[in-house]
Amino acid sequence: MKTIMTNQAPKAVGVYSQGVVAHNMLFVSGQIPFVPATMTLVSQDIKEQTKQCLENVLAIVEAAGMSKTDIVRCTVFMTNLNDFPLMNEVYEAFFQDHKPARAAVGVVALPKNVQIEIDAIAVKS
């Protein structure tokens, strides 16, 4: 098992790793929409928050020596599922033709009062 840490994604806000590689699989911890350099929320806009979460996920994937197309599964946690179409628009633009498996879950609250959190699993082929 190998721990992944990068300054290109927000520091962990708890007792966990940004990512962990086991064999050829990378498990990316849930990423909130914080700008890594400032550790502050990107904005209150759900589309901008979604994009930042995905960029944070990708930074960890790349730090592990993998690419976006190695991502096989994402889980999206949202405090307002009415924002699903806006999130989905950004998500689709980010992944384009690559379509990892995904679940979207409505939750009451998320860390640091953000509206969205995204985790991922990637597999190095």
Side-chain angles (χ1 to χ4, degrees):
M1 199 169 87
K2 178 183 173 188
T3 300
I4 303 299
M5 290 180 56
T6 177
N7 291 332
Q8 301 304 307
K11 296 175 191 164
V13 295
V15 186
Y16 60 89
S17 301
Q18 290 173 322
V20 174
V21 174
H23 303 287
N24 65 332
M25 298 179 70
L26 169 65
F27 299 87
V28 178
S29 294
Q31 294 300 300
I32 60 176
F34 274 23
V35 177
T38 61
M39 287 297 290
T40 58
L41 182 63
V42 66
S43 82
Q44 293 297 327
D45 180 76
I46 188 62
K47 291 173 80 172
E48 290 181 15
Q49 286 196 23
T50 301
K51 184 177 182 205
Q52 188 66 54
C53 288
L54 290 167
E55 288 175 354
N56 293 343
V57 165
L58 183 58
I60 296 164
V61 168
E62 290 175 344
M66 297 183 186
S67 68
K68 186 187 299 184
T69 57
D70 292 320
I71 298 172
V72 298
R73 172 97 162 79
C74 290
T75 307
V76 179
F77 303 91
M78 300 179 69
T79 58
N80 184 355
L81 287 177
N82 290 326
D83 288 334
F84 183 89
L86 298 171
M87 175 281 297
N88 202 49
E89 180 183 323
V90 174
Y91 186 95
E92 182 178 22
F94 180 83
F95 281 108
Q96 299 175 9
D97 291 335
H98 180 61
K99 301 206 180 338
R102 180 182 76 186
V105 182
V107 296
V108 173
L110 288 167
K112 304 292 185 179
N113 296 313
V114 300
Q115 299 169 30
I116 187 168
E117 179 174 355
I118 301 175
D119 71 10
I121 300 171
V123 177
K124 185 71 172 172
S125 46

